[in-house]
Amino acid sequence: MKALEGVRILDFTHVQSGPTCTQLLAWFGADVIKIERPGTGDITRGQLQDIPKVDSLYFTMLNHNKRSITLDTKNPTGKEVLERLIKECDVLVENFGPGVLDRMGFPWEKISRLNPRMIVASIKGFGPGPYEDCKVYENVAQCTGGAASTTGFRDGPPLVTGAQIGDSGTGLHLALGIVAALYHRTHSGRGQRVTCAMQDGVLNLSRVKLRDQQRLARGPLKEYSQFGEGVPFGAAVPRAGNDSGGGQPGRILKCKGWEQDPDAYIYFITQAPVWEKICDIIGEPTWKTDPEYATPPARLTKLNAIFARIEQWTMTKTKFEVMNICNAVDIPVGPILSMKEIAEDQSLRATGTVVEVDHPTRGKYLSVGNPIKLSDSPTKVERSPLLGEHTEEILRDVLRFDPGRISEIQQSGAVGVPPAIAAE
């Protein structure tokens, strides 16, 4: 039995943050019913298309294991269908702009009257305050959540990261909130509202920088490279390049072949417990007892020279050779893996972290699988739905409308026409 089997989700999400949340719930076995606008659906179906007139990878990789119904919520019959769905579902998830659900005629108070057990989960850009009515996208969230100001090199501009910590990160936070609310309902008997702001989600993931902001008030951040270089600190946590956020000095170093391969690099940490082993493998045994290098405080002012010497050694080896040598003696390192290398990594295929999915119009494609593994509830990744594919099925099996009523609903224009699907 799947972990969330029996839970039904009314999915009013679109683009990335909300679909990340509902896809995770679907992977755990929830029945996720995606509500889409007739004719167009989720805007990402048509964004970044690599095959004409076929759902984009942007859409397919965020909407696995879901069912799709097209519904015009401005249509009176459509509103009736939506009310029935609210009564039949456990959770409503949305990431509309501020106030959209209210303008649709379904504020929290009405939803709660229709179904007192309903959990309404929302992703917004900002929490209550001066910016709560502003729309937010991925990079805006990274900037306003504190991540961008601390990412990049000291002498360069702020940078956003390629990891979608604003959208997908907030979606993951919301999924946890929903599961907590579902558990709470088992003894309270009532639903509640769950809200995650993207700014808040990014800040939560950037907490070590908030930690450093408070430490900075009491003195320089000695593990940052600029301390060893004699560069004064300002009033705020600076950008620190590839310094480790955990307090252990670390850098990204060149490996053999870096001149031709943009990913021939490795992350190398000079962790104190393995310092003597580092000295041995790079050919500097005297550093183990030299007072100028033997202790972490002594090394802080020499990090540039130390990493330059380590890089002389890493440049004689491939990144995987460095990893094998260091891993054998417990020196923590991490090769820079390209997306091509990750896509071809058979160990990630074996664990279901990367999966191959077959789609009726796209064919086979790669996607991420469920990153959370449960021993008794394995995840099977199923393809994303075509637009409105399950409309009639949901009207019949979830809402229990008879064939005559389904025909009336279809004729009213409240729902779209499901696509014809070739035999899979």
Side-chain angles (χ1 to χ4, degrees):
M1 185 174 179
K2 295 183 178 179
L4 293 180
E5 192 167 325
V7 174
R8 184 166 286 150
I9 311 290
L10 191 55
D11 183 3
F12 262 113
T13 70
H14 59 288
V15 192
Q16 184 180 166
S17 61
T20 296
C21 168
T22 53
Q23 177 171 260
L24 189 61
L25 300 175
W27 279 340
F28 284 132
D31 178 15
V32 176
I33 299 173
K34 187 175 179 71
I35 308 295
E36 299 191 74
R37 184 178 300 172
T40 56
D42 189 320
I43 192 173
T44 59
R45 286 186 183 269
Q47 286 186 339
L48 305 177
Q49 282 181 322
D50 57 317
I51 303 175
K53 299 181 180 179
V54 170
D55 287 340
S56 71
L57 287 166
Y58 196 3
F59 176 84
T60 60
M61 293 176 69
L62 284 161
N63 291 281
H64 292 122
N65 296 55
K66 303 178 185 181
R67 297 197 281 177
S68 170
I69 177 174
T70 49
L71 187 64
D72 181 358
T73 57
K74 295 180 181 179
N75 182 302
T77 304
K79 287 185 181 292
E80 177 194 342
V81 172
L82 178 54
E83 288 192 5
R84 288 285 294 266
L85 282 167
I86 289 172
K87 292 176 182 178
E88 295 292 336
C89 292
D90 299 285
V91 184
L92 185 154
V93 189
E94 59 92 11
N95 63 329
F96 293 128
V100 171
L101 203 59
D102 290 358
R103 292 194 295 274
M104 284 174 56
F106 289 90
W108 158 252
E109 293 76 15
K110 180 175 180 177
I111 293 172
S112 186
R113 286 197 303 272
L114 290 169
N115 182 355
R117 291 174 58 81
M118 171 67 79
I119 293 161
V120 176
S122 304
I123 288 178
K124 300 303 175 191
F126 297 98
Y131 307 117
E132 62 185 298
D133 293 330
C134 298
K135 288 185 177 180
V136 171
Y137 296 94
E138 172 64 42
N139 289 351
V140 174
Q142 290 195 31
C143 292
T144 59
S149 72
T150 58
T151 303
F153 288 91
R154 188 175 67 249
D155 55 354
L159 293 176
V160 296
T161 174
Q164 305 293 281
I165 61 174
D167 277 323
S168 289
T170 308
L172 294 171
H173 282 92
L174 188 70
L176 175 59
I178 289 169
V179 172
L182 284 168
Y183 178 76
H184 182 266
R185 195 181 69 176
T186 62
H187 53 84
S188 72
R190 293 191 60 81
Q192 59 181 301
R193 285 178 286 184
V194 181
T195 304
C196 281
M198 293 174 70
Q199 181 187 39
D200 299 358
V202 171
L203 177 58
N204 187 43
L205 296 175
S206 304
R207 70 183 70 175
V208 298
K209 299 301 182 179
L210 184 59
R211 171 204 68 191
D212 290 349
Q213 181 62 43
Q214 296 171 86
R215 293 173 55 228
L216 185 59
R218 295 176 173 83
L221 305 174
K222 295 182 179 180
E223 77 282 5
Y224 280 52
S225 297
Q226 73 180 73
F227 173 76
E229 296 166 5
V231 177
F233 285 82
V237 173
R239 291 181 280 285
N242 292 314
D243 289 348
S244 170
Q248 302 289 346
R251 299 279 177 88
I252 290 180
L253 306 178
K254 298 172 184 174
C255 292
K256 187 176 182 179
W258 68 272
E259 298 93 340
Q260 294 80 35
D261 182 356
D263 296 304
Y265 290 83
I266 198 160
Y267 197 87
F268 201 107
I269 300 176
T270 56
Q271 197 174 33
V274 294
W275 172 247
E276 293 189 359
K277 295 175 181 178
I278 293 172
C279 295
D280 288 334
I281 66 168
I282 68 172
E284 296 289 351
T286 61
W287 282 3
K288 293 188 288 185
T289 55
D290 186 335
E292 293 292 308
Y293 294 92
T295 65
R299 293 194 290 272
L300 286 176
T301 59
K302 303 174 186 64
L303 290 178
N304 285 345
I306 288 170
F307 280 113
R309 176 64 186 92
I310 296 171
E311 189 172 57
Q312 288 179 359
W313 175 76
T314 61
M315 289 171 63
T316 67
K317 308 280 190 284
T318 69
K319 60 188 178 184
F320 296 110
E321 289 172 339
V322 174
M323 186 179 187
N324 289 336
I325 293 169
C326 290
N327 191 54
V329 291
D330 295 326
I331 298 172
V333 296
I336 308 304
L337 296 181
S338 69
M339 281 298 161
K340 183 177 185 296
E341 289 170 317
I342 287 173
E344 296 171 353
D345 189 322
Q346 293 306 306
S347 66
L348 296 178
R349 303 281 188 101
T351 60
T353 299
V354 175
V355 296
E356 186 175 77
V357 183
D358 202 2
H359 189 276
T361 58
R362 165 170 290 282
K364 294 185 184 299
Y365 67 94
L366 289 184
S367 183
V368 296
N370 192 343
I372 304 169
K373 316 297 197 259
L374 301 183
S375 63
D376 287 353
S377 304
T379 297
K380 179 182 178 182
V381 176
E382 300 172 351
R383 68 166 177 85
S384 61
L386 300 180
L387 179 60
E389 179 180 343
H390 305 95
T391 297
E392 189 168 329
E393 176 182 299
I394 292 166
L395 293 175
R396 181 188 67 239
D397 299 340
V398 177
L399 302 184
R400 298 178 293 281
F401 286 125
D402 59 47
R405 183 57 180 146
I406 292 175
S407 179
E408 290 174 1
I409 292 170
Q410 291 170 334
Q411 292 174 11
S412 74
V415 297
V417 179
I421 305 174
E424 296 184 49

